[in-house]
Amino acid sequence: MPSFRHRALRGLLPLCLAAGLVTLAPSPALASPGSGPTAVVTMGDSYISGEAGRWQGNSLTTSGSRNGTDRAWTGSAYDPSRVYGSTEANGCHRSDSAEVNSAGALTTERINLACSGATTQNVFRSVAGGVSYKGEAPQADQLAAVAATRDVKLIALSIGGNDLGFADIITTCATDYIVWYSYCHDDQQAVVDAKIDGVMANVGKAIDEIRTVMTGAGYASADYRIVLQSYPSPIPRAAENRYGESGWSRVNTGGCPFWNLDSDWARDSLVPQIANRLKTVATAKGAQFLDLRDMLQGREVCAKASKQVTSTVPASATTSEWARWIDQNETQGPLQEDMHPNYYGQLALGRCLALINARTAGNYGCRNTAGTGASGMYLTTG
C-alpha cells in the first residue's frame, strides 16, 4: 500500500504540472513542415513505379544481354532485382530508373511508394476503404509515416489507368489483331465510357486522401504540392508506324500488334480522353497537372522515328524506342513490363518531374526533342 507521503506527492503532481512548476521529458519529436529531411514522393501505379525500367530499347535477340538492352543480365544469368531491387519479389517493380530516381537531387530524399498494378483503392487510407496490395499497406497509410518524419515538398501521383482496365484494353486489342483479325476500338470505347466517370471520382478521392494525410501530419496546403500526371501513348499513329498492317511483321518483328484504326484510336482518342479528364480532376482538387500524352512522340514501339537495337545499332537514348514492346511469348521478361516507358522513357519522365518541380503553379505538358535524350525534354503550357 502506498504511504501517505507517496499519495500526497501523487496528488500534487497534476497541480504542479498545471502551474508549470514541473515539466516532463518530451516524447520524440516528429518532423513537421520545415523540419526533417526534405522529400519528394511518388504514388500510384506502374507508370510511375518504374515498370519496364529493365530495358534499354527493344531487340529481337533473345539470349545474353539481348544486344545490350537487358539491364538484368549479369554476364551469366538474369537478375531483375538489379533493376527492381526488393520489389522484384512482390511485383511492385520500383526500378532504379523510376521517375523519382531519375529526376535528380530535387530534395534530400526521393521516396517511391507506387506499385505496378495499383488502383485507386490501393491509394486510399485503410480507414477510408483503402486496400493493401502485394503485401503492402495502402499507399496513403505509407505516406502518413513518411510525412511524419520528413518535410514533404512534392507528391506526384499517377493513378486511374488500372481502374479503367488499360492493360485489359491492350490485351483485347492485341488479341483482336492476332487471333480474331478484328478491331477493338469500337467495343473498348464503350467499356471506357461506362467506367470513366466512376474512375475519375475515385482519382479525386485519392487526392482528397493524400490531403487528409498531410493535414493530419500538420501540413498546410501551401507547404507542399500535388502533381497529378496522365499517361503517354506507347504506340504511334498509323501514319507513324514503320510496319505495314498487312502480314505479321508488326507482331513477330515489331511487337506492336494493333490495327491502324485501333492505333489511331488509342493515340488520338483514348489517351487524350483520359488526359483531359484527369486534368479536370486536378483542377477541381487544386493539384497541378502534368500532361504526358505526347511524351513518347516518335519514341513509341514501332515508331518510324526510332529503331530497334541490333548487333550493329547499339542501344541509345537518341535512336532507340522509349517504350517496352509486347512480348506475348515472354521470351524476354514478364508480360507486366509490356507497353510501359522503358529505361530511356523513365529517364525522360524524371526530367519532366524535375521541370515541373521548378514551376510552383500551373499545368504543363511534357514533350521530347527528336534526336536527343532526356535532356531534350521540355514543358508546354496549358
Side-chain angles (χ1 to χ4, degrees):
M1 177 181 295
S3 67
F4 173 80
R5 181 169 179 268
H6 287 160
R7 290 198 302 271
L9 288 174
R10 187 175 61 190
L12 286 173
L13 182 59
L15 297 176
C16 293
L17 285 171
L21 300 178
V22 175
T23 59
L24 298 178
S27 58
L30 298 178
S32 59
S35 66
T38 58
V40 57
V41 181
T42 50
M43 303 176 65
D45 55 29
S46 56
Y47 275 77
I48 200 168
S49 74
E51 185 67 83
R54 172 179 174 175
W55 303 97
Q56 297 181 130
N58 300 307
S59 170
L60 293 174
T61 300
T62 60
S63 62
S65 68
R66 281 97 184 221
N67 288 323
T69 62
D70 193 347
R71 300 174 61 229
W73 177 244
T74 66
S76 59
Y78 302 105
D79 179 12
S81 68
R82 289 162 59 101
V83 175
Y84 301 122
S86 62
T87 64
E88 161 62 18
N90 71 357
C92 280
H93 280 189
R94 299 183 186 110
S95 71
D96 57 358
S97 60
E99 186 174 316
V100 70
N101 294 327
S102 298
L106 305 183
T107 51
T108 304
E109 295 187 14
R110 295 166 290 179
I111 300 172
N112 188 356
L113 302 179
C115 184
S116 183
T119 66
T120 50
Q121 279 195 316
N122 305 131
V123 173
F124 304 160
R125 292 171 301 147
S126 57
V127 297
V131 178
S132 297
Y133 186 60
K134 295 185 177 179
E136 298 186 359
Q139 292 177 33
D141 292 340
Q142 295 182 55
L143 175 64
V146 172
T149 55
R150 282 90 164 175
D151 182 11
V152 177
K153 296 298 186 182
L154 179 70
I155 300 166
L157 174 66
S158 170
I159 203 68
N162 291 318
D163 298 67
L164 278 174
F166 194 70
D168 292 335
I169 292 172
I170 291 174
T171 299
T172 298
C173 290
T175 301
D176 284 354
Y177 180 92
I178 297 170
V179 178
W180 303 114
Y181 225 60
S182 61
Y183 296 123
C184 73
H185 63 272
D186 43 3
D187 57 327
Q188 291 306 301
Q189 183 62 64
V191 170
V192 172
D193 290 342
K195 291 181 177 181
I196 198 164
D197 287 346
V199 170
M200 292 303 151
N202 280 340
V203 173
K205 180 180 176 180
I207 295 176
D208 290 341
E209 290 289 284
I210 290 170
R211 291 206 184 279
T212 297
V213 166
M214 298 301 286
T215 299
Y219 291 73
S221 59
D223 292 327
Y224 67 98
R225 287 185 287 148
I226 297 175
V227 173
L228 178 65
Q229 60 187 51
S230 67
Y231 300 92
S233 174
I235 59 174
R237 300 176 178 89
E240 297 165 350
N241 195 311
R242 63 176 176 263
Y243 303 97
E245 68 175 346
S246 61
W248 296 105
S249 59
R250 280 188 178 178
V251 183
N252 298 331
T253 304
C256 56
F258 306 101
W259 293 105
N260 285 344
L261 287 178
D262 291 339
S263 298
D264 286 344
W265 167 72
R267 178 66 179 84
D268 290 327
S269 181
L270 177 62
V271 169
Q273 178 185 11
I274 296 172
N276 291 339
R277 292 297 299 270
L278 287 171
K279 181 179 180 180
T280 299
V281 172
T283 299
K285 297 298 181 179
Q288 285 184 272
F289 178 62
L290 180 60
D291 192 340
L292 299 174
R293 75 182 76 183
D294 297 319
M295 195 275 291
L296 292 174
Q297 174 62 38
R299 314 303 186 101
E300 307 97 334
V301 178
C302 294
K304 287 180 179 178
S306 297
K307 301 176 181 178
Q308 284 187 356
V309 179
T310 69
S311 59
T312 58
V313 179
S316 168
T318 61
T319 61
S320 300
E321 295 164 327
W322 285 9
R324 185 61 181 160
W325 62 2
I326 289 182
D327 178 15
Q328 72 270 18
N329 295 320
E330 294 189 283
T331 60
Q332 302 182 39
L335 281 172
Q336 75 176 66
E337 294 177 316
D338 295 354
M339 293 289 117
H340 289 86
N342 62 22
Y343 173 75
Y344 296 130
Q346 289 177 25
L347 296 183
L349 285 169
R351 180 58 181 162
C352 292
L353 182 61
L355 290 171
I356 199 168
N357 178 68
R359 307 291 181 94
T360 57
N363 300 324
Y364 299 90
C366 193
R367 303 193 59 156
N368 73 79
T369 302
T372 68
S375 61
M377 303 305 294
Y378 64 95
L379 296 182
T380 60
T381 58

